Amino acid sequence: AKLSKEPERMFKVVLAGDAAVGKSSLIMRLCKGKFLENLSSTLGVDFQTKMIELDGRTVALQLWDTAGQERFRSIAKSYFRRADGVLLLYDCTYERSFMSIREWMDSIESSQDGSTKKLPIMLCANKTDMRMETEQQGRKVVTYEDGQRLAREYGALFIETSAKDGTNVGECVSELARLMRANE
Ligand code: GDP
């Protein structure tokens, strides 16, 4: 694939979701092909760029991390206002992060005042590599069906990912990119 050519389009993608669900790790996996157990919470930059090929065309994705500002929903809203799409993550081994998804969906929605277009959202159930082990330990997990149902309710896409083993990391952004392009 000739990805060095000039991108024909650039999309801004904002990563959202509670602290520690794996936003920085997903960006790291996607852009650097690595996983670090102890990723420092700030990458030191606002965004990373990833070039992808979509139906033979090069598209640049600017991936914006909310960098530890998850608690400040008002800041997150200003990010959403400038976004072409959102990757909204929860940790499928930590139910609390799934319970927050409705609040995240609501702040995304309310950031779009005055816009007639619907902002494309990909809901990602991250850390799927840990789910079986977590279940075996007798701890509660979030099932595929739970995630899919919630995504459908908000008209969002849904995918299960692992920043650790790389499962669906490329797919989550390419599917979102497809929707962002269709949304133009
Ligand atoms: P953020 O606060 O949402 O940016 O989350 P981080 O990317 O900093 O990840 C929080 C912790 O979860 C770190 O210790 C990561 O190594 C770990 N982590 C992130 N993604 C995964 C994953 O897919 N699988 C596993 N097992 N651990 C992950």
Side-chain angles (χ1 to χ4, degrees):
K2 282 172 272 161
L3 294 177
S4 53
K5 64 188 174 191
E6 280 293 293
E8 68 164 33
R9 182 70 175 87
M10 192 275 287
F11 290 115
K12 286 187 184 172
V13 176
V14 172
L15 280 277
D18 285 1
V21 293
K23 300 181 294 297
S24 307
S25 299
L26 195 80
I27 294 179
M28 172 73 80
R29 163 63 69 195
L30 192 66
C31 299
K32 310 262 189 251
K34 302 191 278 206
F35 176 76
L36 304 169
E37 293 287 347
N38 294 303
L39 191 61
S40 88
S41 63
T42 42
L43 289 168
V45 283
D46 293 332
F47 65 85
Q48 302 266 323
T49 304
K50 172 73 179 173
M51 300 287 203
I52 63 162
E53 200 171 334
L54 210 58
D55 307 323
R57 305 234 165 113
T58 305
V59 170
L61 300 178
Q62 256 184 21
L63 300 157
W64 291 75
D65 197 346
T66 43
Q69 298 171 332
E70 295 89 347
R71 288 168 296 128
F72 309 109
R73 294 290 159 88
S74 56
I75 295 174
K77 269 190 197 178
S78 68
Y79 277 95
F80 297 142
R81 210 166 291 131
R82 286 173 281 152
D84 296 306
V86 177
L87 280 178
L88 178 54
L89 276 71
Y90 63 90
D91 172 349
C92 71
T93 69
Y94 187 55
E95 197 183 28
R96 184 71 200 81
S97 69
F98 180 65
M99 308 292 270
S100 298
I101 293 297
R102 287 183 186 282
E103 285 170 53
W104 281 107
M105 287 288 193
D106 292 342
S107 29
I108 295 168
E109 226 157 69
S110 68
S111 72
Q112 301 296 298
D113 303 334
S115 170
T116 50
K117 279 189 191 169
K118 186 170 164 42
L119 185 65
I121 301 170
M122 172 63 87
L123 182 64
C124 301
N126 193 41
K127 307 198 190 182
T128 50
D129 62 282
M130 274 177 30
R131 185 158 48 199
M132 199 180 285
E133 185 189 322
T134 305
E135 250 183 325
Q136 283 164 355
Q137 290 167 351
R139 287 192 287 135
K140 203 159 181 233
V141 295
V142 183
T143 66
Y144 181 90
E145 289 70 28
D146 291 337
Q148 196 182 40
R149 195 175 310 120
L150 190 58
R152 196 173 294 145
E153 195 182 312
Y154 285 93
L157 298 173
F158 177 64
I159 199 163
E160 294 202 307
T161 58
S162 167
K164 185 168 185 175
D165 68 19
T167 301
N168 284 338
V169 169
E171 287 78 358
C172 75
V173 291
S174 59
E175 290 307 307
L176 182 63
R178 218 171 271 288
L179 188 57
M180 291 189 292
R181 202 177 48 183
N183 199 42
E184 284 186 287

